[in-house]
Amino acid sequence: MGIKFGTDEYFMNEAYKQAVLALEQNEVPVGAVVVANQKIIARAHNQTETLTDATAHAEILALTSAFNYLGAKYLTDCTLYVTLEPCTMCAGALYWAQLGKVVIGAPDKKRGYSRLITGQEKVLHPKTQLVQGVLEEKCSSIVTQFFKQLRG
Amino acid sequence: MGIKFGTDEYFMNEAYKQAVLALEQNEVPVGAVVVANQKIIARAHNQTETLTDATAHAEILALTSAFNYLGAKYLTDCTLYVTLEPCTMCAGALYWAQLGKVVIGAPDKKRGYSRLITGQEKVLHPKTQLVQGVLEEKCSSIVTQFFKQLRG
């Protein structure tokens, strides 16, 4: 049974394909896509090792790509799909981008931004709709397997 | 009276010169430099308007430039000087970069990362030494003047 086009599962699966590309390059397997009007306008995966740049996370690369594509300062009409909960840096970038919606695959209890929420201040933009747990199991297991192999 | 070479004030003044360059381009005037062994290896200023990229903050650009220069994943032997307290995104980037030392000019009570500290979790890397308030008045007033003119 396929995943129906246009659903959150569909676009998350496209982000997952980016995570697989990262895995093939021995990068921490995280992928992201940015969608506007049901169209993917940016795809990216983690490239911190390839670029020797600790800021080259999937979300940052996808955002910069989307900004370039749209020529826009804000991504208020866009949705970002990312396989793993963004870190503090990426969540901060999502704030500035003012995404309309952010969809997260698996939680990241160690480095995810949500551990920083104080209750008074939120990291994401107040206008950003947040959806979590889409294709959570596969998005989580690709990361778990990567670190298991790395340490094994 | 000049500022003595090699001091925190000296390098912060170099970051301030970057903030002036940003101001001349109608960018929010924030500047940063990265120093290794008393040598400036990266200089950058905020370019969010010029690049139409909300992630193009001075710190992110300076870090990427320093990574490229050193070919290193971490900047443990480097100091980053930035005229304004980093936002959440930039503080998250500083975490990943594992800076040896971060020197901040003026606080940013509105968007600075420190408002997110919960008491249990810190945003910067635990190994990063933090110095604040270097050339605070001039680093602060250039930003205040910019926003005053923007709104006036």
Side-chain angles (χ1 to χ4, degrees), chain A residues 10-152:
Chain A
Y10 176 84
F11 291 120
M12 185 58 78
N13 198 50
E14 293 299 305
Y16 179 80
K17 288 178 188 171
Q18 290 293 312
V20 172
L21 288 178
L23 187 69
E24 289 170 2
Q25 293 166 34
N26 289 317
E27 300 275 3
V28 178
V30 181
V33 300
V34 177
V35 174
N37 298 319
Q38 297 284 76
K39 185 183 166 190
I40 297 176
I41 62 166
R43 299 171 193 264
H45 58 77
N46 179 29
Q47 290 201 69
T48 51
E49 298 292 329
T50 308
L51 300 178
T52 324
D53 183 343
T55 71
H57 285 196
E59 300 95 313
I60 300 281
L61 300 176
L63 288 179
T64 295
S65 181
F67 289 130
N68 286 342
Y69 180 85
L70 295 175
K73 270 179 74 176
Y74 303 115
L75 304 177
T76 41
D77 296 325
C78 297
T79 301
L80 179 130
Y81 294 83
V82 59
T83 57
L84 190 69
E85 182 188 339
C87 71
T88 307
M89 170 181 72
C90 292
L94 295 176
Y95 170 87
W96 292 117
Q98 300 191 14
L99 267 295
K101 184 175 162 185
V102 170
V103 184
I104 296 172
D108 181 354
K109 283 167 190 163
K110 201 170 169 202
R111 297 302 320 161
Y113 77 93
S114 62
R115 80 202 157 82
L116 285 172
I117 291 178
T118 60
Q120 296 179 310
E121 292 280 1
K122 288 194 175 166
V123 182
L124 295 183
H125 197 275
K127 287 181 187 165
T128 302
Q129 184 197 345
L130 179 63
V131 176
Q132 297 182 77
V134 175
L135 304 187
E136 178 172 337
E137 199 177 316
K138 71 195 276 190
C139 290
S140 175
S141 72
I142 192 173
V143 174
T144 311
Q145 282 179 11
F146 172 79
F147 282 109
K148 205 172 167 183
Q149 285 184 352
L150 199 71
R151 282 161 193 152

Side-chain angles (χ1 to χ4, degrees), chain B residues 2-14 33 35-40 79 81 101 103 134:
Chain B
I3 299 173
K4 197 182 164 194
F5 174 80
T7 60
D8 281 347
E9 287 75 16
Y10 176 84
F11 291 119
M12 184 59 78
N13 198 50
E14 294 298 307
V33 300
V35 174
N37 298 320
Q38 298 284 77
K39 185 184 166 189
I40 296 176
T79 301
Y81 294 82
K101 183 175 162 185
V103 183
V134 175

